[in-house]
Amino acid sequence: MRKAIRFAAIAAFVTLTVSCAPKIAITAHRGYWNCEEAGFAENSIKSLELAQKNHLWGSEFDVHMTSDLVLVVHHDRDIQGKSIHTHDYADFKDYRLKNGEKLPTLDEYLTQGEKGGTVLVFELKQQYDKAHEDYMVDKSIEALKRHGLFDPKKVIFISFSMNICERVAALCPGFTNQFLSGNMSPEEILAKNINGIDYHYSVFQKNPTWVKEAHDRKMSVNVWTVDKEEDIKEMIGQDVDCITTNEPMKVRTLLGRKERK
Ligand code: MG
């Protein structure tokens, strides 16, 4: 059954600060390099553990919300044909990731995140209305605080939802907060108090001045999902801050000493 939700009004003014220095970094998209071939499912706790052990700068994960308002870590909107948004958490109790893990709740994932060693690149997935998106942001912040992770050095936020990014901007000043969709310029994004962009590399190919325009405004720039060597080199040449990739060791080799510590 869907629960009614309430959310608090948010402050209208925020102070923009950027926590990412303009250096290149690595994010292991969906957890770990070649994760499926290596037997590690995307968005799994094991993948986060491996990213931590291998000192990847960051590890991206995706957060959805079930109909009974449980935050879970999963990439796709559906699981085995069931929409996460319209099913209770208990409906997924028998589901297993490819590595045998059950569907992680956000709290279970953050328990591993507490061990540190990699920045949590926290993607808040679009919900079907503003109220649920706002509730998800608020519950995510509560969870991060509960785990001692509400810290701009430990977490950056990304989302395709403008509403989610705007709420994060209001409630999490000082955190890196990147909009994912690629249909708005750095200037337009900053006008909404959002201090970063995280776009597919084809967006930067079409808009070659956007990385510099973002940096001139002290905005952080992430690029996804870059796996081919020539694309990685191109993005390194454009001086982006973060490269989201399924091939972090390849990126690390190409970056050499330029990799963010
Ligand atoms: Mg993602």
Side-chain angles (χ1 to χ4, degrees), residues 29-30 43 60-62 75 123 125 158 160 180:
H29 186 49
R30 301 184 177 185
N43 276 304
E60 182 186 331
F61 62 106
D62 308 286
H75 183 267
E123 181 175 351
K125 290 288 190 179
I158 63 175
F160 278 98
L180 275 162

Side-chain angles (χ1 to χ4, degrees), residues 28-260:
H29 186 49
R30 301 184 177 185
Y32 195 63
W33 59 90
N34 295 324
C35 50
E36 303 300 350
E37 289 86 347
F40 305 112
E42 64 168 82
N43 276 304
S44 67
I45 291 170
K46 185 69 177 174
S47 294
L48 173 59
E49 181 184 355
L50 286 167
Q52 292 167 327
K53 283 183 176 171
N54 284 278
H55 308 293
L56 298 188
W57 174 80
S59 189
E60 182 186 331
F61 62 106
D62 308 286
V63 175
H64 283 280
M65 189 162 65
T66 62
S67 55
D68 55 341
L69 308 179
V70 178
L71 272 57
V72 296
V73 176
H74 193 73
H75 183 267
D76 294 341
R77 186 179 291 262
D78 298 343
I79 295 176
Q80 296 177 328
K82 296 177 187 171
S83 166
I84 295 173
H85 301 174
T86 56
H87 287 77
D88 284 358
Y89 178 67
D91 293 333
F92 302 110
K93 69 180 189 311
D94 296 327
Y95 172 69
R96 292 293 178 270
L97 308 184
K98 289 183 179 175
N99 68 355
E101 287 180 35
K102 71 182 186 67
L103 177 67
T105 64
L106 177 61
D107 265 314
E108 289 165 345
Y109 195 86
L110 294 181
T111 297
Q112 180 64 39
E114 286 177 29
K115 294 174 184 173
T118 188
V119 171
L120 299 174
V121 182
F122 193 138
E123 181 175 351
L124 289 144
K125 290 288 190 179
Q126 288 167 296
Q127 302 298 298
Y128 50 84
D129 63 25
K130 180 179 184 302
H132 281 80
E133 289 190 342
D134 289 348
Y135 182 87
M136 190 167 74
V137 172
D138 296 358
K139 288 295 165 186
S140 295
I141 292 169
E142 286 176 19
L144 288 167
K145 287 180 177 175
R146 209 160 42 241
H147 290 271
L149 292 167
F150 191 66
D151 180 337
K153 294 187 180 67
K154 296 177 179 175
V155 174
I156 73 172
F157 294 101
I158 63 175
S159 186
F160 278 98
S161 162
M162 176 56 68
N163 173 60
I164 287 174
C165 286
E166 288 182 310
R167 192 164 183 88
V168 167
L171 297 177
C172 309
F175 282 74
T176 297
N177 176 28
Q178 298 175 332
F179 183 56
L180 275 162
S181 125
N183 59 7
M184 293 174 73
S185 70
E187 185 177 15
E188 290 170 308
I189 295 292
L190 190 60
K192 293 180 173 291
N193 283 339
I194 295 161
N195 63 16
I197 53 177
D198 185 356
Y199 291 165
H200 191 268
Y201 72 94
S202 61
V203 174
F204 294 117
Q205 288 174 316
K206 288 178 197 158
N207 302 280
T209 62
W210 278 12
V211 176
K212 184 175 186 309
E213 284 177 31
H215 283 165
D216 286 347
R217 292 169 172 80
K218 301 193 184 313
M219 300 170 73
S220 69
V221 179
N222 196 345
V223 57
W224 57 275
T225 295
V226 191
D227 295 334
K228 293 180 188 167
E229 185 166 328
E230 61 266 32
D231 299 336
I232 294 166
K233 286 179 176 172
E234 183 184 349
M235 288 296 102
I236 291 171
Q238 286 216 27
D239 204 23
V240 297
D241 301 295
C242 306
I243 294 175
T244 295
T245 180
N246 291 308
E247 299 282 356
M249 299 316 291
K250 188 192 290 183
V251 178
R252 174 172 281 170
T253 301
L254 291 168
L255 283 173
R257 286 180 296 176
K258 288 179 74 179
E259 184 192 347
R260 181 193 176 106

